[in-house]
Amino acid sequence: MSLHITSTTEGQLQVHLITKQKQYAVPDVPYSIRANVGATELNVLLSTLLKDSGKGGERKVQFDFLLNGEFVKTSLSQHLKERDISFEDSIEIEYVERYPAPEPQDCLLHDDWVSAVQAKDGWILTGTYDNTVNLWNTKGKHKLTIPGHVAPVKGVAWISLNEQTGVFASASHDQTVMIWEWNVTTNSVECVHVCKGHERGVGCIAVNPSKTQMASGSMDTMLKIWSTELHGDKGEPSATKKAKLEQDNVRTPVITLAGHREFVSGVQWIDDTTVATCSWDHTIKLWDLTLGGIKTEFTGNKSFFDLSYSPLNGMIITASPDKNLRLYDPRSKHGNFVKNTYLGHTQWVQTCRWSTTNEYLFISGAYDNRVKLWDYRSPKAPIFDLIGHEDKVLACDWSNPKYMLSGGSDNALRVFKSKIAVNNEDD
């Protein structure tokens, strides 16, 4: 098959087209194509090959193309030149079905900046600068405003949820983390524990995989681990019932870990005994809770504002004020921990979260009012821009695979429906 290309200066390439998506496989033979073609022409070629092999189908499928594990965003010749790959060799190009664009679904308006968000099943928790926690359903209905904190809420995290009861935590600049019990049936909520111990504002919070503990990072430079157990030991003696209740209500940390020199801005659990933190002190630390100390440390050349760990690929993505996101592989043996840098934002990157179902995808939010969807194999550009915020993006979440969520200083929580996770599902 010949492709109509105007320039003939680049010469020909021998390519093999391969895919892991068997339903789109074409014969594994070398194809001779002009070197200056890009994704558009490759899609034309592939469409013809699929039609010839009886796999065309009714739906016109668009593909993206990978060369050595990286998306081709330019012409093949430019891609090869930039990476010093020989034009003489036969080149293996992998193709994958192009991700569908996320669809804007909702804008949930709050009374102040939305600085924390996390979804679970059909429910969304938000934390705001008016010191409240808010509960919404994914259909956009506001269920509860929960007062209790006396400063902005900077982190929210689900602990458990069933048809009767939801348990979640909130972290605030008022130096506390609160554990809440929500009665789903009566739609009422109670603060069960106030976790005290931080000496400055708490900026981030995360719950471990088995939901038995949570970690918090603070401006006091400390990482603290807390029990998430709702009702602890009742057998302590106490002077009066009231004093006993107050004493029960206050929870102290299981362990305090010192090591960072500035604000601990992000926290994630790797597993039940390992926590990852990032800080304004330019470091990422992996903590071993069994030993009670630092296991591994990476130093960057800028502050870190957030990090996200993916159990699907074992890697960490970070957000920084130099407009970049960086991909770290904590398992690297030879000091080269930074696997890639992602430049697309034009201001400080404040927040980032991995997909929980796709090992390649993550989202980020920045002070340029933008949320971006990335594939880690495409460092030069995001796959999609999720446009809608009219001011800085402060928090994002992709805990529920169906919804990409972002909160901003425009007082809005934006909800984008991810078509990636739901191609074969009904809502």
Side-chain angles (χ1 to χ4, degrees):
M1 127 131 212
S2 66
L3 293 172
H4 180 66
I5 303 294
T6 49
S7 159
T8 55
T9 55
E10 299 283 6
Q12 301 280 123
L13 282 175
Q14 291 283 319
V15 300
H16 279 264
L17 295 168
I18 58 161
T19 184
K20 295 185 179 108
Q21 296 171 284
K22 295 285 180 264
Q23 70 272 33
Y24 301 128
V26 296
D28 185 13
V29 296
Y31 299 95
S32 185
I33 60 172
R34 291 234 182 276
N36 60 351
V37 304
T40 310
E41 295 86 356
L42 286 169
N43 263 302
V44 173
L45 169 61
L46 210 44
S47 173
T48 309
L49 293 171
L50 285 167
K51 200 178 280 179
D52 290 350
S53 58
K55 294 179 178 175
E58 296 298 306
R59 187 167 66 96
K60 183 146 174 59
V61 180
Q62 289 289 303
F63 295 95
D64 283 316
F65 299 88
L66 293 138
L67 214 157
N68 289 351
E70 197 176 313
F71 277 116
V72 177
K73 293 290 186 187
T74 57
S75 67
L76 284 175
S77 55
Q78 192 180 332
H79 189 95
L80 294 170
K81 274 179 195 163
E82 283 173 4
R83 288 155 188 80
D84 291 328
I85 299 169
S86 166
F87 282 55
E88 305 300 316
D89 302 332
S90 178
I91 289 159
E92 204 170 78
I93 297 176
E94 183 186 349
Y95 55 99
V96 292
E97 188 176 355
R98 186 168 290 167
Y99 299 122
E103 290 177 4
Q105 176 165 309
D106 245 323
C107 176
L108 312 182
L109 283 174
H110 294 66
D111 293 334
D112 211 329
W113 293 9
V114 182
S115 43
V117 57
Q118 194 181 72
K120 188 170 177 64
D121 304 335
W123 302 100
I124 301 168
L125 278 174
T126 58
T128 58
Y129 262 66
D130 66 1
N131 314 343
T132 64
V133 177
N134 291 267
L135 189 58
W136 305 75
N137 66 19
T138 48
K139 302 278 184 270
K141 186 172 175 1
H142 186 258
K143 297 292 284 186
L144 268 180
T145 299
I146 306 164
H149 286 291
V150 292
V153 178
K154 297 290 286 182
V156 289
W158 285 97
I159 296 166
S160 65
L161 178 64
N162 57 38
E163 284 173 14
Q164 289 82 37
T165 312
V167 181
F168 49 85
S170 56
S172 165
H173 274 176
D174 66 11
Q175 307 182 8
T176 70
V177 175
M178 291 185 172
I179 299 176
W180 305 87
E181 187 171 23
W182 170 46
N183 183 319
V184 180
T185 319
T186 61
N187 194 33
S188 58
V189 72
E190 179 194 356
C191 176
V192 187
H193 294 292
V194 181
C195 302
K196 290 186 175 179
H198 282 298
E199 290 170 16
R200 291 185 65 193
V202 188
C204 54
I205 186 172
V207 177
N208 71 354
S210 64
K211 313 299 181 194
T212 55
Q213 291 185 324
M214 59 186 179
S216 61
S218 164
M219 289 178 178
D220 65 9
T221 75
M222 298 299 168
L223 165 67
K224 289 182 187 284
I225 310 296
W226 315 81
S227 166
T228 58
E229 192 187 349
L230 265 196
H231 306 290
D233 180 36
K234 298 277 189 279
E236 302 158 16
S238 173
T240 67
K241 195 171 181 186
K242 187 168 184 294
K244 172 76 170 77
L245 282 170
E246 277 179 17
Q247 187 184 319
D248 263 1
N249 195 25
V250 173
R251 178 160 282 178
T252 52
V254 177
I255 185 172
T256 297
L257 296 153
H260 281 296
R261 294 186 309 282
E262 289 190 48
F263 175 38
V264 181
S265 50
V267 62
Q268 293 266 289
W269 291 79
I270 308 286
D271 55 44
D272 277 341
T273 59
T274 314
V275 173
T277 54
C278 66
S279 167
W280 288 7
D281 67 11
H282 300 194
T283 68
I284 298 165
K285 297 185 197 297
L286 262 56
W287 306 80
D288 185 327
L289 300 187
T290 317
L291 299 174
I294 297 165
K295 185 156 73 172
T296 318
E297 180 174 296
F298 320 116
T299 304
N301 56 0
K302 288 284 181 294
S303 292
F304 292 108
F305 286 168
D306 197 13
L307 87 168
S308 181
Y309 169 75
S310 170
L312 301 177
N313 60 35
M315 292 192 281
I316 290 169
I317 199 85
T318 62
S320 286
D322 65 354
K323 309 169 193 173
N324 287 309
L325 292 128
R326 288 181 179 81
L327 180 69
Y328 286 81
D329 189 343
R331 299 157 301 190
S332 295
K333 290 283 180 280
H334 304 294
N336 185 21
F337 295 107
V338 182
K339 293 299 168 194
N340 241 325
T341 302
Y342 302 84
L343 179 58
H345 285 292
T346 56
Q347 296 285 334
W348 286 14
V349 188
Q350 183 63 32
T351 175
C352 55
R353 284 295 175 267
W354 282 106
S355 160
T356 53
T357 52
N358 185 307
E359 65 176 294
Y360 299 113
L361 300 183
F362 62 92
I363 54 173
S364 62
Y367 278 23
D368 57 9
N369 310 356
R370 290 285 188 269
V371 175
K372 293 179 189 284
L373 169 61
W374 303 83
D375 183 304
Y376 82 63
R377 300 167 295 184
S378 175
K380 297 262 192 300
I383 315 177
F384 294 110
D385 275 4
L386 280 52
I387 296 166
H389 281 289
E390 290 165 16
D391 208 336
K392 299 185 288 285
V393 181
L394 305 176
C396 68
D397 178 67
W398 201 358
S399 302
N400 180 332
K402 294 181 188 177
Y403 303 104
M404 299 169 185
L405 308 172
S406 56
S409 46
D410 54 0
N411 300 2
L413 179 81
R414 294 255 163 201
V415 181
F416 276 78
K417 186 80 177 276
S418 167
K419 308 305 283 181
I420 298 155
V422 294
N423 276 349
N424 307 315
E425 295 177 37
D426 293 316
D427 193 13

